[in-house]
Amino acid sequence: IQWMLRADQYVQRVQFHANPDGTLSEQIDRFSGYMSSAQNLTWNYAAVLTTFWARTEFQNKLNTLKNKN
């Protein structure tokens, strides 16, 4: 579960640095913390959605295991 907490920290970092309207750019500038480079790349959003899906699936399986015990 420790690694899941670490993964959540990465998601929180992306949320923190996302543009005010929620859009994402290709990179986070290491000096300013602002989004930089190409904007609204499909793979950025796909990565975020895949991350949320995987976390939900893992949490559901974990809950199922807890409920069996």
Side-chain angles (χ1 to χ4, degrees), residues 23-43:
T23 58
L24 300 173
S25 296
E26 184 178 18
Q27 299 174 12
I28 299 172
D29 184 279
R30 72 169 52 179
F31 301 108
S32 70
Y34 290 104
M35 291 280 161
S36 66
S37 203
Q39 296 179 340
N40 294 320
L41 296 173
T42 303
W43 64 264

Side-chain angles (χ1 to χ4, degrees), residues 1-2 5-7 14-15 18 20 25 32 35-36 48-51 61-62 64 66 68:
I1 304 246
Q2 188 69 12
L5 297 175
R6 183 71 175 135
V14 171
Q15 288 174 319
S25 296
S32 70
M35 291 280 161
S36 66
V48 170
L49 292 173
T50 300
T51 300
K61 289 179 183 181
L62 188 62
T64 299
K66 286 181 180 179
K68 285 184 179 181

